[in-house]
Amino acid sequence: MGTEGRIYLYPKWLRAWHGLNALGIIVLIFTGINMQYASPDFQLMRFDLAIRFHNIAGVLVAVSYLLFFIGNLVSSNGTFYQIKLKGLRNRLFLQIRYYAYGMFKKEECPFPVSEKRKFNPLQKYSYIAVMYVFVPLVIISGIALLFPELIITEVYGVSGVFLTALLHASVGFLISIFLIVHVYVASVGKSPFKNYRSIITGWHE
Amino acid sequence: MRTYYRNIVTAFLLFTGFSSTAEDQNQCLKCHGNHIYSIHNEWTERTEKRLMNPYFVIDSVRMSAGVHQSFSCTDCHSTDYGTYPHNGELKLEPMAGCLDCHGGDEKYASYQFEKIEEEFGKSVHAQACGDAFTCSKCHDQHYYQVTARNSESVTGIVRYSNEMCLSCHDNMQKYQLLSEGQKPELVEAHSWLPNKNLHFEHVRCIECHTEVVDSLMISHNIMPKENAVKRCVECHTADSRLKASLYKYQNLQSRSENGMMGNILSNESYVIGAYRNPLLNWGSILIFCVVLLGVSVHIIFRIIKK
Ligand code: HEM
C-alpha cells in the first residue's frame, strides 16, 4: 500500500476515457448482438436503431481510444503498459495461483498495488492485449465496414466485406469475454466495491 | 394476331439458316447505328448529313448479345422500312409483344411466359397504365438478355435488373409517356433506408417491391408502395427473404459450391444478420458458458472461504 494507504492511480483523463469507453463498448455489445442475431422473432430493439446506435457508439469508442493512446504516449501512465518478457511465465503463474488458490487461503497477494506497479501481471497483459490488439482491430474493421468501398472486394472468391465482418464480430466477441472477466476480477479485493469506486474517484485505497 | 406471329416464329426458325441477318441489319444500321446518318437528297442532288433521333439509335453491340440477336430488323419491323423516307403509315404499325411469339410455345415453357403475363397483369404498372405498359417497357426487344438465369455474379444480376427500373424511374421523358403525374423522387422515397446506394447495388428493386412467388424465377407482380418491404429483418436475418429470391438461382448455387465457404451469401456481399456459421455460433456460446461457470465457481468459493 502507499504511504498513507491511498494512492492516486487514475488521473482525470484516464477516468474520462474509461467512462466513455465502458459506456461505448456496452452499447456496442448490446446492439451488436441485436444485429448478429436479428430475426423477426428476436429483437431487443429495432434493427435500424441498433445500426444507428452501433455506429454512434463505434465512433465514440474510436475517439476515446485516441485519448487513451495519446494519453499513454505523453503521460507516465504508459509505463504500466511496457512489456517485460523475462520471467513473465513465472509471474503470470504466481498471479493465477493466487486467484485460484492463494486468495482463499488468505495469502498475501504476490503483486500488491503500488505507485510503481498499478497492475498485477494478469491485469497488465490482458490490458495490453485488449488495448493494443483487440480494440484497434475492431476499430479498424469497424471503420472499414462503415466505408465498405475501402475494402478489397474479393479474396479467393470470398467477399472482402464478409471477411472483415467476420473479423469484426469475432474480435468483438473476445472483447465481450474480456469485459465479463474484467468486471468480475475488479470485484476481487478487500471489499468487492472498492475498485469500482477507485476508477470513478481515481484513488486506490 | 397471335397465330400470325407464331407463323413468323416458325418461319424464322425454318429459314434463319438461309437469310443473312448481318447484311439485313447493316442495311438499317447504316442509319440507325449512328447519331449521324447521310442521305442522298434527290431534289438538291447532294449527299446530306443529318442527326438521328437519339431514341432511334440501335446499339448493335448490345443487340448482338441479346436473345434476339439472330433476327434481322425486318423480322419484327415491316420490310417497307427498306425505303427512305419511311412510309408515314409505318409509324402506326402494331408491334408484336413477347406473348405473341412466345405464348403457348413448348420450347419456352421453362420461362413460364403465361404465368408471367398473369402476374404482370396484377402489378401496379398494368393496373395504372393498362395496355400502354407493355413488357417491352422493361424488356427492350432489341437488347433483352436473360441474366438471373445465366449470370454468376450477384452484382451483375442486380445491376441489370435495377437498370430496367431506373431507365424509366430515373428518366422523366420515359416516365411521362405513361403517367400524367410527377415522377416520384427515388432518393426521397427511400430516405429511410441507410446506405441507400449500397443497397441499390446489392439488392434488386423487385426484392422489396414484389411478392416472392416460389414457382416463378422472377416475380412480376410489382405491388403498390404500401406493400413494399420496409422491415430490415426481412433480409437481415438467418432466414433472409433474399434466400428465396435473389440467391435461389441454381447458377449461383453451383458457383458457391466451388467457392471457399460454400456459402452463397458470402461470395459477393455481407448481409448483416444473415450469416450464421454453426461452428462459430456454438463455439462462442461454449466459451461464454465456460467463462460464466468459472466466474460462478469463483464467487461460490469466495463466499464459502470468507
Ligand atoms: C470493454 C470495455 C472496458 C475496457 C476495454 C476496460 C479497460 C480497462 C483498462 C485498460 C483499465 C486500466 C486503466 C489504467 O489504469 O491504465 C481498466 C481499469 C478498471 N476498469 Fe475497465 N474497461 C472496460 C469496462 C469496464 C467496466 C464496464 C467496468 C465497471 C463496471 C470497469 C471497471 C474497471 C475498474 C474497477 C478498473 C480499475 C481496477 C483495475 O485496475 O483493474 N471497466 N479498465
Side-chain angles (χ1 to χ4, degrees), chain A residues 80-126:
Chain A
F80 300 117
Y81 290 83
Q82 275 159 8
I83 298 179
K84 220 167 62 214
L85 289 176
K86 209 162 145 252
L88 173 61
R89 202 184 312 170
N90 197 30
R91 272 175 285 143
L92 287 178
F93 173 77
L94 276 179
Q95 185 63 31
I96 292 174
R97 185 186 168 283
Y98 174 72
Y99 279 140
Y101 179 79
M103 63 178 276
F104 302 121
K105 294 274 173 207
K106 304 281 185 299
E107 284 175 16
E108 279 296 306
C109 53
F111 303 96
V113 177
S114 72
E115 252 143 47
K116 287 252 169 58
R117 184 173 52 222
K118 181 152 74 162
F119 307 137
N120 71 47
L122 269 188
Q123 272 177 320
K124 176 168 163 180
Y125 289 97
S126 62

Short mmCIF file of all heavy atoms in Angstrom, two decimals, chain A residues 80-126:
data_model
loop_
_atom_site.label_atom_id
_atom_site.label_comp_id
_atom_site.label_asym_id
_atom_site.label_seq_id
_atom_site.Cartn_x
_atom_site.Cartn_y
_atom_site.Cartn_z
N PHE A 80 3.09 1.71 -17.38
CA PHE A 80 2.44 0.49 -16.87
C PHE A 80 2.14 -0.51 -17.98
O PHE A 80 1.70 -1.62 -17.70
CB PHE A 80 1.13 0.85 -16.16
CG PHE A 80 1.33 1.77 -15.00
CD1 PHE A 80 0.78 3.03 -14.98
CD2 PHE A 80 2.13 1.37 -13.92
CE1 PHE A 80 0.99 3.88 -13.91
CE2 PHE A 80 2.33 2.22 -12.84
CZ PHE A 80 1.76 3.49 -12.83
N TYR A 81 2.31 -0.08 -19.22
CA TYR A 81 1.98 -0.95 -20.35
C TYR A 81 3.22 -1.46 -21.06
O TYR A 81 3.15 -1.87 -22.20
CB TYR A 81 1.07 -0.22 -21.33
CG TYR A 81 -0.33 0.01 -20.77
CD1 TYR A 81 -0.60 1.09 -19.95
CD2 TYR A 81 -1.36 -0.88 -21.05
CE1 TYR A 81 -1.86 1.30 -19.41
CE2 TYR A 81 -2.62 -0.68 -20.53
CZ TYR A 81 -2.87 0.41 -19.71
OH TYR A 81 -4.12 0.59 -19.18
N GLN A 82 4.40 -1.39 -20.38
CA GLN A 82 5.61 -1.85 -21.05
C GLN A 82 5.79 -3.35 -20.85
O GLN A 82 5.75 -3.85 -19.72
CB GLN A 82 6.82 -1.08 -20.56
CG GLN A 82 6.98 0.23 -21.34
CD GLN A 82 7.81 1.23 -20.57
OE1 GLN A 82 8.40 0.91 -19.54
NE2 GLN A 82 7.86 2.46 -21.08
N ILE A 83 6.04 -4.02 -21.97
CA ILE A 83 6.17 -5.48 -21.92
C ILE A 83 7.55 -5.87 -21.38
O ILE A 83 8.56 -5.29 -21.79
CB ILE A 83 5.97 -6.08 -23.33
CG1 ILE A 83 4.56 -5.77 -23.82
CG2 ILE A 83 6.23 -7.57 -23.34
CD1 ILE A 83 4.26 -6.29 -25.20
N LYS A 84 7.59 -6.80 -20.44
CA LYS A 84 8.87 -7.34 -19.98
C LYS A 84 8.76 -8.85 -20.01
O LYS A 84 8.05 -9.46 -19.21
CB LYS A 84 9.18 -6.84 -18.57
CG LYS A 84 10.65 -6.51 -18.41
CD LYS A 84 10.96 -5.73 -17.15
CE LYS A 84 10.61 -6.53 -15.91
NZ LYS A 84 10.13 -5.69 -14.82
N LEU A 85 9.45 -9.47 -20.96
CA LEU A 85 9.24 -10.90 -21.17
C LEU A 85 9.94 -11.77 -20.14
O LEU A 85 9.48 -12.86 -19.83
CB LEU A 85 9.71 -11.30 -22.58
CG LEU A 85 8.82 -10.77 -23.71
CD1 LEU A 85 9.41 -11.11 -25.06
CD2 LEU A 85 7.41 -11.34 -23.59
N LYS A 86 11.06 -11.26 -19.59
CA LYS A 86 11.87 -12.11 -18.71
C LYS A 86 11.06 -12.50 -17.46
O LYS A 86 10.50 -11.66 -16.78
CB LYS A 86 13.14 -11.37 -18.29
CG LYS A 86 14.28 -12.30 -18.01
CD LYS A 86 15.63 -11.58 -18.03
CE LYS A 86 16.53 -12.21 -16.97
NZ LYS A 86 16.74 -11.32 -15.82
N GLY A 87 10.97 -13.79 -17.22
CA GLY A 87 10.25 -14.25 -16.03
C GLY A 87 8.74 -14.09 -16.12
O GLY A 87 8.05 -14.24 -15.13
N LEU A 88 8.26 -13.77 -17.31
CA LEU A 88 6.83 -13.47 -17.45
C LEU A 88 5.96 -14.66 -17.07
O LEU A 88 4.99 -14.53 -16.31
CB LEU A 88 6.54 -13.04 -18.90
CG LEU A 88 5.07 -12.85 -19.22
CD1 LEU A 88 4.48 -11.75 -18.35
CD2 LEU A 88 4.88 -12.49 -20.69
N ARG A 89 6.39 -15.85 -17.56
CA ARG A 89 5.56 -17.01 -17.31
C ARG A 89 5.41 -17.26 -15.81
O ARG A 89 4.33 -17.53 -15.31
CB ARG A 89 6.16 -18.23 -18.00
CG ARG A 89 5.10 -19.29 -18.21
CD ARG A 89 5.61 -20.56 -18.78
NE ARG A 89 6.48 -20.41 -19.95
CZ ARG A 89 7.16 -21.43 -20.43
NH1 ARG A 89 7.09 -22.62 -19.87
NH2 ARG A 89 7.94 -21.27 -21.48
N ASN A 90 6.51 -17.10 -15.11
CA ASN A 90 6.51 -17.31 -13.67
C ASN A 90 5.59 -16.31 -12.98
O ASN A 90 4.80 -16.67 -12.10
CB ASN A 90 7.94 -17.16 -13.16
CG ASN A 90 8.08 -17.76 -11.78
OD1 ASN A 90 7.36 -18.71 -11.46
ND2 ASN A 90 8.95 -17.19 -10.97
N ARG A 91 5.64 -15.05 -13.40
CA ARG A 91 4.82 -14.02 -12.76
C ARG A 91 3.34 -14.29 -13.02
O ARG A 91 2.51 -14.18 -12.13
CB ARG A 91 5.21 -12.64 -13.30
CG ARG A 91 6.36 -12.00 -12.51
CD ARG A 91 6.81 -10.70 -13.14
NE ARG A 91 7.60 -10.95 -14.34
CZ ARG A 91 7.54 -10.21 -15.43
NH1 ARG A 91 6.73 -9.20 -15.49
NH2 ARG A 91 8.30 -10.50 -16.47
N LEU A 92 3.03 -14.66 -14.27
CA LEU A 92 1.62 -14.96 -14.58
C LEU A 92 1.14 -16.13 -13.74
O LEU A 92 0.05 -16.11 -13.18
CB LEU A 92 1.46 -15.29 -16.07
CG LEU A 92 1.57 -14.12 -17.02
CD1 LEU A 92 1.45 -14.60 -18.47
CD2 LEU A 92 0.50 -13.08 -16.74
N PHE A 93 2.04 -17.13 -13.61
CA PHE A 93 1.65 -18.31 -12.84
C PHE A 93 1.35 -17.93 -11.39
O PHE A 93 0.35 -18.37 -10.82
CB PHE A 93 2.75 -19.38 -12.91
CG PHE A 93 2.47 -20.54 -12.02
CD1 PHE A 93 1.54 -21.51 -12.36
CD2 PHE A 93 3.12 -20.65 -10.79
CE1 PHE A 93 1.27 -22.55 -11.52
CE2 PHE A 93 2.84 -21.69 -9.94
CZ PHE A 93 1.92 -22.66 -10.30
N LEU A 94 2.24 -17.11 -10.82
CA LEU A 94 2.03 -16.70 -9.43
C LEU A 94 0.68 -16.05 -9.25
O LEU A 94 -0.04 -16.30 -8.29
CB LEU A 94 3.13 -15.72 -9.02
CG LEU A 94 4.45 -16.35 -8.56
CD1 LEU A 94 5.46 -15.24 -8.21
CD2 LEU A 94 4.21 -17.24 -7.34
N GLN A 95 0.33 -15.18 -10.21
CA GLN A 95 -0.93 -14.45 -10.09
C GLN A 95 -2.12 -15.39 -10.26
O GLN A 95 -3.10 -15.29 -9.52
CB GLN A 95 -0.98 -13.31 -11.12
CG GLN A 95 -2.20 -12.42 -10.98
CD GLN A 95 -2.21 -11.69 -9.64
OE1 GLN A 95 -1.17 -11.37 -9.08
NE2 GLN A 95 -3.41 -11.46 -9.11
N ILE A 96 -2.01 -16.32 -11.22
CA ILE A 96 -3.11 -17.26 -11.43
C ILE A 96 -3.29 -18.12 -10.19
O ILE A 96 -4.40 -18.33 -9.71
CB ILE A 96 -2.84 -18.15 -12.67
CG1 ILE A 96 -2.90 -17.31 -13.93
CG2 ILE A 96 -3.85 -19.29 -12.74
CD1 ILE A 96 -2.51 -18.05 -15.18
N ARG A 97 -2.17 -18.57 -9.66
CA ARG A 97 -2.22 -19.39 -8.45
C ARG A 97 -2.91 -18.61 -7.34
O ARG A 97 -3.72 -19.16 -6.58
CB ARG A 97 -0.80 -19.76 -8.04
CG ARG A 97 -0.76 -20.71 -6.86
CD ARG A 97 0.65 -20.95 -6.36
NE ARG A 97 0.63 -21.63 -5.07
CZ ARG A 97 0.35 -21.04 -3.92
NH1 ARG A 97 0.09 -19.75 -3.88
NH2 ARG A 97 0.33 -21.72 -2.79
N TYR A 98 -2.61 -17.33 -7.26
CA TYR A 98 -3.22 -16.52 -6.21
C TYR A 98 -4.74 -16.48 -6.37
O TYR A 98 -5.49 -16.72 -5.43
CB TYR A 98 -2.64 -15.10 -6.24
CG TYR A 98 -3.36 -14.17 -5.28
CD1 TYR A 98 -3.19 -14.29 -3.90
CD2 TYR A 98 -4.22 -13.19 -5.75
CE1 TYR A 98 -3.85 -13.47 -3.02
CE2 TYR A 98 -4.89 -12.36 -4.88
CZ TYR A 98 -4.72 -12.50 -3.49
OH TYR A 98 -5.39 -11.68 -2.64
N TYR A 99 -5.20 -16.19 -7.61
CA TYR A 99 -6.65 -16.10 -7.83
C TYR A 99 -7.34 -17.45 -7.60
O TYR A 99 -8.47 -17.52 -7.12
CB TYR A 99 -6.96 -15.64 -9.26
CG TYR A 99 -6.86 -14.14 -9.45
CD1 TYR A 99 -6.29 -13.61 -10.61
CD2 TYR A 99 -7.35 -13.27 -8.49
CE1 TYR A 99 -6.20 -12.24 -10.80
CE2 TYR A 99 -7.26 -11.90 -8.67
CZ TYR A 99 -6.69 -11.39 -9.82
OH TYR A 99 -6.61 -10.06 -10.00
N ALA A 100 -6.64 -18.54 -7.98
CA ALA A 100 -7.29 -19.85 -7.95
C ALA A 100 -7.17 -20.51 -6.59
O ALA A 100 -7.96 -21.39 -6.26
CB ALA A 100 -6.68 -20.76 -9.02
N TYR A 101 -6.20 -20.10 -5.80
CA TYR A 101 -5.89 -20.87 -4.58
C TYR A 101 -5.52 -19.94 -3.44
O TYR A 101 -6.20 -19.93 -2.40
CB TYR A 101 -4.75 -21.84 -4.93
CG TYR A 101 -4.29 -22.67 -3.78
CD1 TYR A 101 -5.01 -23.80 -3.37
CD2 TYR A 101 -3.11 -22.33 -3.10
CE1 TYR A 101 -4.57 -24.56 -2.31
CE2 TYR A 101 -2.67 -23.10 -2.03
CZ TYR A 101 -3.40 -24.22 -1.64
OH TYR A 101 -2.97 -24.97 -0.58
N GLY A 102 -4.50 -19.13 -3.66
CA GLY A 102 -3.91 -18.33 -2.59
C GLY A 102 -4.91 -17.44 -1.88
O GLY A 102 -4.94 -17.37 -0.65
N MET A 103 -5.75 -16.78 -2.67
CA MET A 103 -6.64 -15.81 -2.04
C MET A 103 -7.65 -16.46 -1.09
O MET A 103 -8.10 -15.83 -0.15
CB MET A 103 -7.36 -14.94 -3.08
CG MET A 103 -8.28 -15.71 -3.99
SD MET A 103 -9.15 -14.60 -5.13
CE MET A 103 -10.51 -14.06 -4.14
N PHE A 104 -7.93 -17.74 -1.34
CA PHE A 104 -8.85 -18.41 -0.44
C PHE A 104 -8.15 -18.83 0.85
O PHE A 104 -8.77 -19.08 1.87
CB PHE A 104 -9.47 -19.64 -1.11
CG PHE A 104 -10.21 -19.27 -2.37
CD1 PHE A 104 -9.85 -19.82 -3.59
CD2 PHE A 104 -11.25 -18.35 -2.33
CE1 PHE A 104 -10.51 -19.47 -4.74
CE2 PHE A 104 -11.92 -18.01 -3.48
CZ PHE A 104 -11.55 -18.56 -4.70
N LYS A 105 -6.82 -18.96 0.76
CA LYS A 105 -6.02 -19.33 1.93
C LYS A 105 -5.56 -18.08 2.67
O LYS A 105 -4.67 -18.14 3.50
CB LYS A 105 -4.78 -20.14 1.49
CG LYS A 105 -5.12 -21.48 0.88
CD LYS A 105 -5.27 -22.53 1.95
CE LYS A 105 -5.78 -23.82 1.32
NZ LYS A 105 -6.54 -24.63 2.26
N LYS A 106 -6.11 -16.94 2.31
CA LYS A 106 -5.75 -15.66 2.93
C LYS A 106 -4.26 -15.35 2.77
O LYS A 106 -3.64 -14.75 3.65
CB LYS A 106 -6.13 -15.65 4.42
CG LYS A 106 -7.59 -15.96 4.70
CD LYS A 106 -8.44 -14.72 4.44
CE LYS A 106 -9.91 -14.93 4.83
NZ LYS A 106 -10.59 -16.00 4.10
N GLU A 107 -3.65 -15.82 1.65
CA GLU A 107 -2.25 -15.47 1.41
C GLU A 107 -2.15 -14.01 1.01
O GLU A 107 -3.13 -13.43 0.53
CB GLU A 107 -1.67 -16.35 0.29
CG GLU A 107 -1.35 -17.76 0.73
CD GLU A 107 -0.88 -18.63 -0.43
OE1 GLU A 107 -0.54 -18.07 -1.49
OE2 GLU A 107 -0.87 -19.87 -0.26
N GLU A 108 -0.95 -13.44 1.16
CA GLU A 108 -0.71 -12.08 0.67
C GLU A 108 -0.74 -12.10 -0.84
O GLU A 108 -0.28 -13.07 -1.46
CB GLU A 108 0.69 -11.62 1.12
CG GLU A 108 0.75 -11.11 2.54
CD GLU A 108 -0.10 -9.86 2.74
OE1 GLU A 108 0.11 -8.89 1.97
OE2 GLU A 108 -1.01 -9.87 3.62
N CYS A 109 -1.27 -11.02 -1.48
CA CYS A 109 -1.24 -11.07 -2.94
C CYS A 109 0.20 -10.82 -3.41
O CYS A 109 0.93 -10.02 -2.82
CB CYS A 109 -2.23 -10.12 -3.58
SG CYS A 109 -2.13 -8.44 -3.04
N PRO A 110 0.61 -11.58 -4.43
CA PRO A 110 2.02 -11.59 -4.82
C PRO A 110 2.47 -10.26 -5.44
O PRO A 110 3.66 -9.95 -5.41
CB PRO A 110 2.11 -12.72 -5.84
CG PRO A 110 0.72 -12.92 -6.33
CD PRO A 110 -0.20 -12.51 -5.23
N PHE A 111 1.54 -9.49 -5.99
CA PHE A 111 1.94 -8.23 -6.64
C PHE A 111 1.05 -7.10 -6.13
O PHE A 111 0.17 -6.63 -6.85
CB PHE A 111 1.82 -8.34 -8.16
CG PHE A 111 2.63 -9.45 -8.74
CD1 PHE A 111 2.05 -10.69 -9.01
CD2 PHE A 111 3.98 -9.28 -8.99
CE1 PHE A 111 2.80 -11.73 -9.54
CE2 PHE A 111 4.73 -10.31 -9.52
CZ PHE A 111 4.15 -11.54 -9.79
N PRO A 112 1.25 -6.67 -4.89
CA PRO A 112 0.36 -5.64 -4.35
C PRO A 112 0.49 -4.34 -5.13
O PRO A 112 1.55 -4.04 -5.70
CB PRO A 112 0.86 -5.47 -2.91
CG PRO A 112 2.25 -6.00 -2.90
CD PRO A 112 2.31 -7.06 -3.94
N VAL A 113 -0.61 -3.59 -5.15
CA VAL A 113 -0.64 -2.33 -5.88
C VAL A 113 0.28 -1.32 -5.21
O VAL A 113 0.29 -1.18 -4.00
CB VAL A 113 -2.08 -1.77 -5.90
CG1 VAL A 113 -2.11 -0.43 -6.59
CG2 VAL A 113 -3.01 -2.75 -6.56
N SER A 114 1.08 -0.64 -6.05
CA SER A 114 1.90 0.44 -5.53
C SER A 114 1.98 1.51 -6.61
O SER A 114 1.47 1.33 -7.71
CB SER A 114 3.30 -0.07 -5.19
OG SER A 114 3.99 -0.34 -6.40
N GLU A 115 2.64 2.64 -6.27
CA GLU A 115 2.75 3.68 -7.29
C GLU A 115 3.52 3.18 -8.50
O GLU A 115 3.31 3.64 -9.61
CB GLU A 115 3.44 4.91 -6.69
CG GLU A 115 2.48 6.05 -6.49
CD GLU A 115 2.78 6.82 -5.23
OE1 GLU A 115 3.96 7.15 -5.01
OE2 GLU A 115 1.84 7.08 -4.45
N LYS A 116 4.48 2.28 -8.27
CA LYS A 116 5.31 1.78 -9.36
C LYS A 116 4.60 0.69 -10.13
O LYS A 116 4.86 0.45 -11.30
CB LYS A 116 6.61 1.21 -8.79
CG LYS A 116 7.56 2.26 -8.30
CD LYS A 116 8.74 2.38 -9.26
CE LYS A 116 9.58 3.61 -8.94
NZ LYS A 116 10.08 3.57 -7.55
N ARG A 117 3.70 -0.05 -9.40
CA ARG A 117 3.09 -1.19 -10.05
C ARG A 117 1.58 -1.11 -9.86
O ARG A 117 1.03 -1.51 -8.86
CB ARG A 117 3.61 -2.49 -9.47
CG ARG A 117 3.05 -3.70 -10.22
CD ARG A 117 3.69 -4.96 -9.75
NE ARG A 117 3.62 -5.07 -8.30
CZ ARG A 117 4.61 -5.50 -7.52
NH1 ARG A 117 5.76 -5.86 -8.04
NH2 ARG A 117 4.46 -5.57 -6.22
N LYS A 118 0.95 -0.54 -10.90
CA LYS A 118 -0.50 -0.36 -10.80
C LYS A 118 -1.22 -1.70 -11.00
O LYS A 118 -2.22 -1.98 -10.37
CB LYS A 118 -0.94 0.66 -11.84
CG LYS A 118 -2.40 0.96 -11.85
CD LYS A 118 -2.72 2.36 -12.34
CE LYS A 118 -2.55 2.52 -13.83
NZ LYS A 118 -3.25 3.73 -14.34
N PHE A 119 -0.69 -2.49 -11.95
CA PHE A 119 -1.40 -3.73 -12.33
C PHE A 119 -0.64 -4.95 -11.88
O PHE A 119 0.59 -4.97 -11.90
CB PHE A 119 -1.54 -3.84 -13.85
CG PHE A 119 -2.15 -2.65 -14.50
CD1 PHE A 119 -1.63 -2.15 -15.68
CD2 PHE A 119 -3.26 -2.03 -13.94
CE1 PHE A 119 -2.19 -1.06 -16.30
CE2 PHE A 119 -3.83 -0.94 -14.56
CZ PHE A 119 -3.29 -0.45 -15.74
N ASN A 120 -1.35 -6.01 -11.57
CA ASN A 120 -0.68 -7.30 -11.43
C ASN A 120 -0.45 -7.85 -12.84
O ASN A 120 -1.06 -7.35 -13.80
CB ASN A 120 -1.49 -8.23 -10.53
CG ASN A 120 -2.77 -8.72 -11.19
OD1 ASN A 120 -2.75 -9.14 -12.34
ND2 ASN A 120 -3.88 -8.63 -10.47
N PRO A 121 0.42 -8.86 -12.99
CA PRO A 121 0.81 -9.29 -14.35
C PRO A 121 -0.38 -9.71 -15.21
O PRO A 121 -0.41 -9.41 -16.41
CB PRO A 121 1.72 -10.49 -14.11
CG PRO A 121 2.15 -10.41 -12.71
CD PRO A 121 1.16 -9.58 -11.95
N LEU A 122 -1.36 -10.37 -14.61
CA LEU A 122 -2.51 -10.79 -15.42
C LEU A 122 -3.27 -9.58 -15.97
O LEU A 122 -3.60 -9.52 -17.16
CB LEU A 122 -3.48 -11.62 -14.58
CG LEU A 122 -3.30 -13.12 -14.55
CD1 LEU A 122 -4.48 -13.75 -13.82
CD2 LEU A 122 -3.21 -13.69 -15.97
N GLN A 123 -3.50 -8.62 -15.07
CA GLN A 123 -4.17 -7.40 -15.50
C GLN A 123 -3.38 -6.76 -16.63
O GLN A 123 -3.91 -6.43 -17.67
CB GLN A 123 -4.21 -6.40 -14.35
CG GLN A 123 -5.39 -6.53 -13.43
CD GLN A 123 -5.25 -5.52 -12.30
OE1 GLN A 123 -4.15 -5.31 -11.77
NE2 GLN A 123 -6.37 -4.90 -11.93
N LYS A 124 -2.07 -6.60 -16.36
CA LYS A 124 -1.24 -5.86 -17.29
C LYS A 124 -1.30 -6.46 -18.69
O LYS A 124 -1.56 -5.75 -19.66
CB LYS A 124 0.20 -5.87 -16.79
CG LYS A 124 1.19 -5.21 -17.71
CD LYS A 124 2.52 -5.01 -17.01
CE LYS A 124 3.61 -4.74 -18.02
NZ LYS A 124 4.90 -4.53 -17.35
N TYR A 125 -1.09 -7.78 -18.77
CA TYR A 125 -1.01 -8.32 -20.12
C TYR A 125 -2.38 -8.47 -20.77
O TYR A 125 -2.50 -8.39 -21.99
CB TYR A 125 -0.20 -9.62 -20.12
CG TYR A 125 1.26 -9.28 -19.88
CD1 TYR A 125 1.82 -9.38 -18.60
CD2 TYR A 125 2.04 -8.77 -20.91
CE1 TYR A 125 3.12 -9.00 -18.36
CE2 TYR A 125 3.35 -8.38 -20.68
CZ TYR A 125 3.89 -8.50 -19.41
OH TYR A 125 5.17 -8.09 -19.18
N SER A 126 -3.42 -8.64 -19.97
CA SER A 126 -4.73 -8.65 -20.63
C SER A 126 -5.08 -7.24 -21.10
O SER A 126 -5.64 -7.07 -22.19
CB SER A 126 -5.80 -9.23 -19.71
OG SER A 126 -5.94 -8.43 -18.56
#
